[in-house]
Amino acid sequence: MPDHIAVTRRRRSPFCLGFILVSLFVQTAPALAQVEEARQAMAEEDYLRVVEILSEAIRTAPSADASLYLGLAYRNLVQYDRALELFEAAARMYPDDVRFLNETAELHVRNRDLDLAKDSLRQALAIAPEDEIATDLLASIHLSEGDVAAALDTWNEVGQPRIDEVLQNFSPAYLNRSVPDALAFGPGEVLVYDDWRTTESRLYASKLYTNLGLDVEPSPSPDLYNAIVHTTPRGNTPSDILLDLLWGIPVKSTFLDIWDIRHSGVSVRSHYRWDKDRRRIRGQLLIPLPLPGLPVLELRNVWRSEQWNMATRLRPEFEPEANFHYKSNSIGFKLRAVPDYRVEFSVGLEYRNRAASGTITELGMNARNSGTFRFGAIILARNKRLKTQFRLDGFVARAAALGDFDFSGGSLEIANRFVIDEDEAMFFDWSVTGGTARGDLPVDHYFSLGIGSTTQHLLRGHVASDQGLYGRSPMGTDFVLLNTDVERRIVRVPMFNALSIPFVDIKVLAFFDTAKVFDRQRIFTQGLWLNDVGAGFRFETPTTSFTVVYGHDIESGEDNFYSYVERRFW
């Protein structure tokens, strides 16, 4: 036996190769001609002729192009089921040709089966990650669903969308100076989600808009896109003003807000409460500054004349002195800036001209005035299912600088949201807050827990007022508080921008709160844990949350029914 095996190859003669090529041409030429004829019929919108030509071509000489144009003809004839069946079969026959997956997705979009459309497009991008058609369509579907993060993440995979122009509501010029100042992206840059969120957060902080949105559309310039910032401005219509004047009547209050005066970005807010024991007048001027990042300057003046009764909160020896009258006029400012959507800073100053009349001198029940420097920060950390906010508020008063008091303090809140079911909009929220203060602290600077305009931190089974008098809420120089909620959205109600509101989310929630307060001046009762349970409904717009709750104080057995308005937390 030979010690090796020789492998020889038979060389084909030029005559054989030519014969093969001629045979292939003879077989494919008619099919190519049929496809070209079908293209011409397609251009003339003669879709029945396309079907006639290509049905025969697929039987005699099947090809990817023949299947594609036949499916397109069925689609244009609104025979979606036949087109879908053909595209799905062709996708199996030509697994490397993503055109069939893209056309399948297009048909699912027409049938409003967006989940199936996204599945087809993801398959296409797994085969051809750079495919522009699949990328654009998948991103556009995400945008139509309001999922801006998923849309931009899809485009970013292929280095898009690179911005040509930034428009406001499709206008060739910005409708308000706040928009260009708030932008965290611009022409020539690839738009990423973090930059849009920063822009959105800055515009919301200006208080000029009730809703914001983003569209991304191809630009006439090749490989570029236009970013359209959709803004829904707050209204100054007669119906808006009438609602402001009337909606606070059940709590003896009225409101009047004038937004974006002469398109300057400057807004005026005012509030008057005519309750004889809790009179208050508040005026507020909001000025988005014409600077990069759109910092907002807030000027405020508040006049108060209130009767207090703290009998339920004072230590027994102070109960005879529980009643006092508090009167003050305060002026101040706050400057807020959002350098990034995950970070917000604020600094401010408030001067209170006080005229409190009572007998507990340790609580500043006299005519001494206070000047308080304030600072705050909000920091957001997030991943897919867990979000965390850190909220810091600090204050310092020094008689050597302003006023007649020396005190300082602050609070830190760590708030969390866990997404139980994103599709059902079901969440578990919990937050831990602690605060401490030192020095000669007057009663109006004490930490207050409960529900009411004088409380700083929510303890939802305790109400700040009793029979129209303040002083019922737990108060202290130090406190610790735990809030827990389980929340689920019931329905989203489209408002079609009625009253400048695009939609309202109606949610149901159940809560448990627990807290303990301490008083370094040993005037208020302290040391007992306060436990509240309850349930309620929450009505949320993109910027504001209105909550109606029934709360039960476990220790006292008291029940409370209350509502409150706050800036939307998440």
Side-chain angles (χ1 to χ4, degrees), residues 261 266-269 283-287 297-300:
I261 300 172
V266 178
S267 302
V268 175
R269 307 189 69 185
Q284 190 178 28
L285 192 65
L286 297 173
I287 308 172
L297 177 64
E298 174 188 320
L299 305 177
R300 176 180 293 193

Side-chain angles (χ1 to χ4, degrees), residues 431-445:
S431 64
V432 179
T433 312
T436 185
R438 299 287 192 278
D440 184 16
L441 197 68
V443 66
D444 48 315
H445 283 277

